């Protein structure tokens, strides 16, 4: 009997939670937060709430009593550390009925750790290109990178993400570029075993795309990028350890045979 009562109460509570508007969570600043910086997470409340909870990795971390006149509740971290990095969500409880909402959609707090060296980068073709050309941007760091991200200045979020090969390099391809793709690009990487830490941004490469069409055959030359066939443009760190270049790579010699 007691089990049935508890189950009935839980079902009623769950039904009420589904009827409450979902809160939303935002990060301030939303990008470029380094270890030691201050960061604020704001839980935006669609209704007046009595309590607001903040969860990290699905576990309750912080609670605040909310002023009924406010539609947001802030959780601030002063001098962030590695322990603050992770996925966050928030939840609220109504002041009148004590009903509890569902969780907000999660947000990721990624912290830049400047103890990791920035990645290297190269661009092919290196000079200005015509509209319709396929462009390859190579990024590499053979010691630390577990996943590489490509950033374009003026965009708040990375535009591509790739896992490196066994020599720590990736080739991002921009297919059929237009003048809108012109701009400055950089790479960063997520260090191994640290999903929510990031390296600093690396050096820049600048892509200039003219409105004129690419020369005949230019698209065919670069179409092999990222197909893994060995016949397209690839990154070759075994040949150029200091400056990675993109071109048709010979296979490295097997010195054990």
């Amino acid at each position: 009997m007691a089990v049935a009562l508890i189950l009935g109460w839980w079902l009623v509570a769950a039904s009420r939670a589904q009827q409450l508007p979902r809160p939303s969570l935002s990060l301030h600043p939303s990008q470029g937060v380094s270890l030691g910086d201050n960061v604020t997470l704001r839980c935006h409340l669609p209704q007046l709430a009595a309590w607001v909870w903040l969860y990290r990795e699905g576990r309750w971390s912080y609670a605040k009593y909310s002023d009924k006149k406010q539609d947001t509740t802030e959780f601030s971290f002063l001098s962030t550390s590695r322990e603050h990095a992770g996925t966050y969500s928030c939840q609220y409880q109504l002041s009148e009925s004590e009903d509890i909402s569902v969780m907000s959609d999660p947000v990721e707090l990624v912290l830049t750790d400047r103890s990791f060296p920035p990645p290297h980068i190269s661009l092919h073709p290196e000079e200005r290109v015509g509209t319709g050309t396929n462009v390859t941007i190579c990024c590499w760091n053979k010691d630390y990178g577990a996943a590489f991200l490509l950033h374009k200045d003026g965009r708040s979020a990375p535009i591509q993400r790739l896992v490196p090969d066994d020599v720590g390099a990736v080739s991002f391809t921009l297919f059929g570029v237009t003048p809108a793709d012109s701009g400055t690009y950089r790479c960063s990487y997520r260090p191994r075993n640290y999903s929510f830490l990031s390296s600093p941004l690396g050096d820049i490469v600048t892509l200039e795309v003219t409105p004129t069409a690419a020369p005949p055959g230019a698209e065919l030359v670069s179409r092999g990028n990222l197909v893994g066939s060995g016949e397209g443009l690839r990154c070759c760190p075994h040949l150029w350890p200091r400056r990675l270049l993109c071109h048709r790579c010979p296979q490295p010699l097997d010195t054990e045979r």
Side-chain angles (χ1 to χ4, degrees):
M1 181 66 177
V3 174
L5 289 174
I6 293 173
L7 179 60
W9 174 87
W10 182 86
L11 290 173
V12 171
S15 176
R16 288 178 176 176
Q18 292 176 358
Q19 296 173 5
L20 295 178
R22 184 187 299 271
S24 61
L25 187 64
S26 59
L27 280 170
H28 304 271
S30 60
Q31 300 285 333
V33 181
S34 298
L35 289 174
D37 289 350
N38 300 340
V39 66
T40 297
L41 293 97
R42 292 177 184 159
C43 186
H44 302 268
L45 308 172
Q47 296 187 16
L48 298 180
W51 285 94
V52 180
W53 293 280
L54 183 69
Y55 296 82
R56 179 180 177 273
E57 305 300 333
R59 299 179 180 180
W60 174 79
S61 298
Y62 304 94
K64 272 193 176 182
Y65 184 78
S66 177
D67 188 330
K68 294 183 179 180
K69 297 180 181 179
Q70 297 180 340
D71 59 0
T72 61
T73 297
E74 295 187 349
F75 299 87
S76 295
F77 300 145
L78 303 179
S79 188
T80 52
S81 64
R82 287 186 174 187
E83 288 69 29
H84 290 121
T87 301
Y88 288 84
S89 56
C90 68
Q91 186 182 40
Y92 66 92
Q93 176 185 340
L94 292 183
S95 54
E96 297 85 5
S97 63
E98 296 187 353
D99 290 342
I100 298 175
S101 74
V102 295
M103 294 278 195
S104 68
D105 291 331
V107 297
E108 290 186 354
L109 175 56
V110 178
L111 298 174
T112 299
D113 187 341
R114 300 190 179 279
S115 67
F116 291 101
H120 304 281
I121 190 170
S122 68
L123 176 69
H124 182 89
E126 293 185 345
E127 300 178 355
R128 112 178 26 169
V129 299
T131 296
T133 306
N134 294 344
V135 174
T136 300
I137 299 176
C138 298
C139 301
W140 74 101
N141 181 295
K142 66 183 182 63
D143 296 321
Y144 299 104
F148 284 80
L149 298 95
L150 181 64
H151 306 260
K152 183 182 180 185
D153 283 5
R155 299 279 293 271
S156 59
I159 61 174
Q160 291 191 42
R161 174 179 178 140
L162 287 175
V163 175
D165 57 22
D166 55 0
V167 292
V170 297
S171 298
F172 295 103
T173 300
L174 307 178
F175 292 100
V177 295
T178 69
D181 295 306
S182 297
T184 299
Y185 293 81
R186 311 184 200 198
C187 293
S188 68
Y189 60 85
R190 300 287 175 85
R192 295 184 184 91
N193 303 319
Y194 295 102
S195 300
F196 298 103
L197 293 182
S198 173
S199 73
L201 291 172
D203 293 336
I204 66 172
V205 292
T206 300
L207 173 63
E208 182 179 358
V209 183
T210 64
T212 57
E219 183 178 353
L220 296 176
V221 167
S222 54
R223 185 173 290 172
N225 296 350
L226 291 178
V227 298
S229 66
E231 297 179 356
L233 298 175
R234 299 176 57 197
C235 297
C236 314
H238 61 281
L239 297 181
W240 296 278
R242 294 186 178 274
R243 182 174 182 270
L244 193 73
L245 300 181
C246 297
H247 84 283
R248 292 178 178 79
C249 302
Q251 293 297 320
L253 296 176
D254 187 347
T255 56
E256 296 182 358
R257 292 185 180 180

